[in-house]
């Protein structure tokens, strides 16, 4: 037991060291945070490319299948967030159930998820932003619009760096100010998505849905593993547990509610998109705008580009938020330098905010991320797997409050969630699994040479 070094749940909830975040968020704030995190590249880019190469019109099945796996994990997250309303998401939950080593591995997986996802989305945001400026006859030099690749004439992706650091600036003023900005952007992008659905449905041709399963069910399953990226971020909502009023009630509403809203939007957009244009023509970088241009609705295509830009900004914002709160939790536990848990006058972990954001900005600005993006799914699925099985051990802990959300059909749903996540991991490429293994090995080296020696558990 000493080797596992588990944290006592009551000591986690009732910390006496004074380093705690203030509870300021309600249920609506949390749902908006979740929608802000989830709706982004998943709705403006993935439906086209995955339909063209993997699923065809049956991409709606891919989205539903991925959502079902996420909903199982979401219920497990909700029970943990309700029982242990502390920042740190799956890292904190693992610390109480499995101990420090597993908690560190989960934290390392979440750093991979939040970091690569935020960097990938910011590069997508950069491409849309440059395209939008070109529509106004404003041209940015090619040299500063892409990662370091002299053969292509690009050296640094300056727009991607600027957007990451700008959103970090807002985060450093505390979550309340950032939350207001997030709400405004969420309303804008949902309005744009509804505009696409309402207008696009009049241009749907049922013949474009034939054949509905051109790649068979294998294509649906591989598509589900890829569109899983579209749901990244709902777990970042659980990072807000320490800043939420009445977490026992609010956390399940925020996590499950945002997932349900986003799934309905994903399916509706995919159905309309593949009905407007044959799936064989959708392997483009901006399929939603492309579909509107194909039916001569260029003015709506312009609005969609604007919605994509705003939508990606909210995703980057919430992923940065999740990553900084994770580093805050690691700093508070002294698995990383204690500076990571330092709060400013706005009750924001400013040091971890800027460290995380600068690293993400450098990755987005200099590295080609297309081959690494699939690793974000690996990080997420590993965290989901451990949280799912962890609920079974949480129920056995008599120190956990009997109130709050409980996973229904226990233990069937946690076990099904665990198996489903393992299945999706097997759908990832061998290269992704090898690269992820190297990442976790590097993380364990940091833990055994620094984290374990400085951990608060030593005291």
């Amino acid at each position: 037991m000493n080797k596992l070094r588990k944290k006592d749940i009551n000591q986690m909830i009732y910390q006496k060291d004074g380093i705690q975040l203030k509870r300021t968020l309600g249920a609506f704030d949390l749902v908006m945070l979740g929608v802000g995190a989830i709706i982004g590249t998943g709705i403006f880019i993935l439906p086209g490319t995955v339909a063209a190469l993997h699923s065809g019109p049956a991409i709606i099945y891919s989205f539903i299948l991925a959502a079902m796996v996420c909903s199982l994990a979401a219920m497990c997250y909700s029970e943990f967030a309700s029982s242990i309303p502390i920042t740190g998401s799956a890292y904190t939950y693992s610390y109480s159930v499995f101990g420090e080593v597993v908690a560190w591995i989960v934290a390392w997986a979440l750093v991979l998820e939040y970091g690569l996802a935020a960097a990938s989305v910011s590069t997508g945001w950069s491409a849309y932003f440059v395209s939008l400026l070109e529509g106004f006859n404003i041209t940015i030099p090619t040299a500063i619009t892409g990662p370091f690749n002299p053969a292509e004439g690009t050296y640094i992706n300056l727009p991607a760096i600027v957007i990451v650091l700008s959103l970090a600036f807002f985060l450093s003023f505390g979550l309340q100010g950032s939350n207001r900005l997030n709400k405004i952007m969420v309303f804008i992008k949902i309005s744009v998505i509804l505009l696409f659905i309402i207008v696009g449905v009049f241009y749907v041709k049922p013949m474009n849905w034939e054949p509905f399963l051109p790649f068979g069910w294998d294509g649906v399953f591989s598509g589900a593993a890829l569109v899983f990226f579209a749901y990244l971020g709902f777990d970042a909502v659980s990072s807000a547990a320490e800043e939420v009023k009445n977490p026992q009630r609010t956390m399940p509403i925020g996590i499950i509610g945002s997932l349900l809203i986003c799934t309905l939007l994903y399916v509706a957009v995919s159905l309309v998109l593949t009905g407007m244009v044959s799936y064989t023509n959708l392997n483009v970088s901006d399929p939603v705008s492309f579909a509107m241009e194909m039916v001569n609705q260029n003015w709506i295509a312009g609005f969609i580009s604007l919605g994509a830009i705003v939508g990606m900004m909210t995703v980057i914002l919430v992923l940065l938020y999740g990553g900084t709160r994770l580093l805050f939790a690691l700093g508070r536990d002294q698995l990383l330098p204690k500076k990571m848990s330092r709060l400013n006058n706005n009750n924001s972990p400013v040091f971890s905010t800027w460290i995380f954001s600068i690293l993400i900005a450098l990755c987005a600005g200099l590295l080609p991320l297309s081959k690494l993006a699939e690793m974000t799914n690996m990080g997420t699925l590993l965290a989901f797997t451990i949280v799912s099985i962890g609920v079974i051990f949480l129920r056995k802990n008599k120190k956990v409050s009997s109130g709050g959300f409980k996973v229904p059909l226990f233990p069937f749903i946690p076990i099904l969630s665990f198996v489903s996540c393992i299945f999706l991991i097997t759908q990832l490429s061998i290269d992704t699994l090898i690269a992820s293994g190297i990442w976790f090995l590097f993380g364990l080296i940091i833990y055994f040479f620094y984290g374990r020696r400085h951990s608060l558990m030593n005291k």
Side-chain angles (χ1 to χ4, degrees):
M1 184 65 73
N2 290 334
K3 291 181 180 180
L4 292 177
R5 299 168 68 153
K6 295 180 183 179
K7 267 194 171 186
D8 182 84
I9 290 178
N10 287 327
Q11 288 181 356
M12 295 169 71
I13 297 175
Y14 305 108
Q15 297 181 73
K16 303 300 183 182
D17 58 9
I19 308 176
Q20 289 182 292
L21 302 168
K22 295 180 181 177
R23 299 193 182 277
T24 58
L25 301 179
F28 181 73
D29 298 319
L30 210 56
V31 170
M32 289 295 99
L33 201 65
V35 174
I38 299 169
I39 297 288
T41 54
I43 206 162
F44 292 110
I45 298 175
L46 282 180
T49 54
V50 175
L53 302 176
H54 298 275
S55 305
I59 186 175
I60 64 169
Y61 294 154
S62 296
F63 272 117
I64 292 171
L65 184 61
M68 289 171 63
V69 175
C70 283
S71 64
L72 297 174
M75 285 188 278
C76 299
Y77 266 90
S78 296
E79 178 162 341
F80 263 114
S82 177
S83 303
I84 311 174
I86 302 297
T87 195
S89 186
Y91 155 72
T92 300
Y93 311 149
S94 301
Y95 217 146
S96 65
V97 174
F98 296 115
E100 190 173 89
V101 176
V102 175
W104 174 265
I105 293 172
V106 171
W108 205 240
L110 292 176
V111 168
L112 180 71
E113 174 196 343
Y114 297 146
L116 280 182
S120 297
V121 175
S122 63
T123 56
W125 181 92
S126 174
Y128 263 93
F129 181 70
V130 170
S131 177
L132 183 67
L133 290 182
E134 288 174 351
F136 293 99
N137 295 319
I138 301 173
T139 304
I140 297 178
T142 303
I144 59 172
T145 59
F148 185 79
N149 187 359
E152 296 290 332
T154 59
Y155 293 88
I156 188 170
N157 195 333
L158 191 59
I161 292 176
V162 170
I163 190 60
V164 170
L165 297 182
S166 298
L167 293 174
F169 176 74
F170 279 104
L171 271 178
S172 65
F173 282 95
L175 187 56
Q176 278 189 306
S178 303
N179 190 43
R180 283 191 289 269
L181 175 66
N182 179 65
K183 283 181 184 176
I184 294 169
M185 293 192 292
V186 166
F187 280 123
I188 291 173
K189 69 178 176 181
I190 288 181
S191 300
V192 169
I193 291 166
L194 293 177
L195 176 66
F196 169 78
I197 294 170
I198 293 168
V199 174
V201 75
F202 291 101
Y203 295 93
V204 167
K205 298 177 181 178
M207 68 179 70
N208 286 328
W209 289 328
E210 298 176 1
F212 199 75
L213 281 161
F215 302 100
W217 283 102
D218 287 342
V220 171
F221 291 136
S222 62
L226 291 172
V227 300
F228 199 83
F229 184 87
Y231 293 100
L232 299 188
F234 91 81
D235 56 317
V237 175
S238 63
S239 298
E242 198 169 318
E243 297 171 84
V244 170
K245 303 171 187 174
N246 189 11
Q248 283 75 18
R249 172 183 174 274
T250 305
M251 291 306 300
I253 293 174
I255 294 173
I256 298 173
S258 59
L259 187 63
L260 178 61
I261 291 171
C262 295
T263 300
L264 292 174
L265 291 175
Y266 281 151
V267 170
V269 167
S270 299
L271 203 57
V272 172
L273 181 65
T274 54
M276 291 175 66
V277 181
S278 171
Y279 71 92
T280 57
N281 298 323
L282 289 175
N283 188 23
V284 294
S285 60
D286 53 348
V288 178
S289 299
F290 172 76
M292 280 300 170
E293 291 172 356
M294 291 288 286
V295 296
N296 296 318
Q297 294 291 344
N298 293 330
W299 67 277
I300 295 180
F303 272 112
I304 289 170
S305 294
L306 178 62
I309 288 171
V310 172
M312 291 182 197
M313 286 174 65
T314 64
V315 176
I316 299 167
L317 178 69
V318 181
L319 289 172
L320 289 178
Y321 167 78
T324 57
R325 267 43 182 186
L326 175 62
L327 294 187
F328 167 82
L330 288 167
R332 187 165 61 183
D333 294 332
Q334 293 184 31
L335 294 176
L336 288 179
K338 196 174 182 180
K339 282 185 178 180
M340 293 292 182
S341 63
R342 184 182 297 166
L343 301 176
N344 64 5
N345 294 333
N346 296 307
N347 200 55
S348 175
V350 64
F351 188 81
S352 61
T353 295
W354 282 108
I355 287 291
F356 188 70
S357 301
I358 289 171
L359 290 174
I360 298 310
L362 290 174
C363 288
L366 299 172
L367 301 179
L369 296 167
S370 57
K371 295 182 179 179
L372 298 177
E374 196 176 329
M375 286 178 64
T376 61
N377 291 356
M378 180 63 189
T380 307
L381 286 168
L382 180 63
F384 284 8
T385 300
I386 292 175
V387 168
S388 298
I389 204 69
V391 168
I392 296 175
F393 294 89
L394 181 72
R395 285 283 184 99
K396 295 179 180 180
N397 193 323
K398 296 181 180 179
K399 294 183 179 180
V400 176
S401 171
S402 58
F405 179 85
K406 300 295 180 185
V407 176
L409 301 177
F410 182 88
F412 174 74
I413 284 182
I415 293 173
L416 182 60
S417 176
F418 174 82
V419 173
S420 300
C421 291
I422 293 294
F423 171 74
L424 285 182
I425 287 175
T426 64
Q427 299 299 301
L428 298 175
S429 68
I430 295 295
D431 291 342
T432 297
L433 296 177
I434 293 173
S436 300
I438 294 171
W439 170 259
F440 288 116
L441 179 62
F442 178 63
L444 285 172
I445 291 172
I446 293 176
Y447 170 72
F448 284 109
F449 278 91
Y450 181 89
R452 187 172 180 83
R453 293 167 58 190
H454 293 84
S455 170
L456 278 180
M457 296 297 285
N458 293 333
K459 304 174 183 178

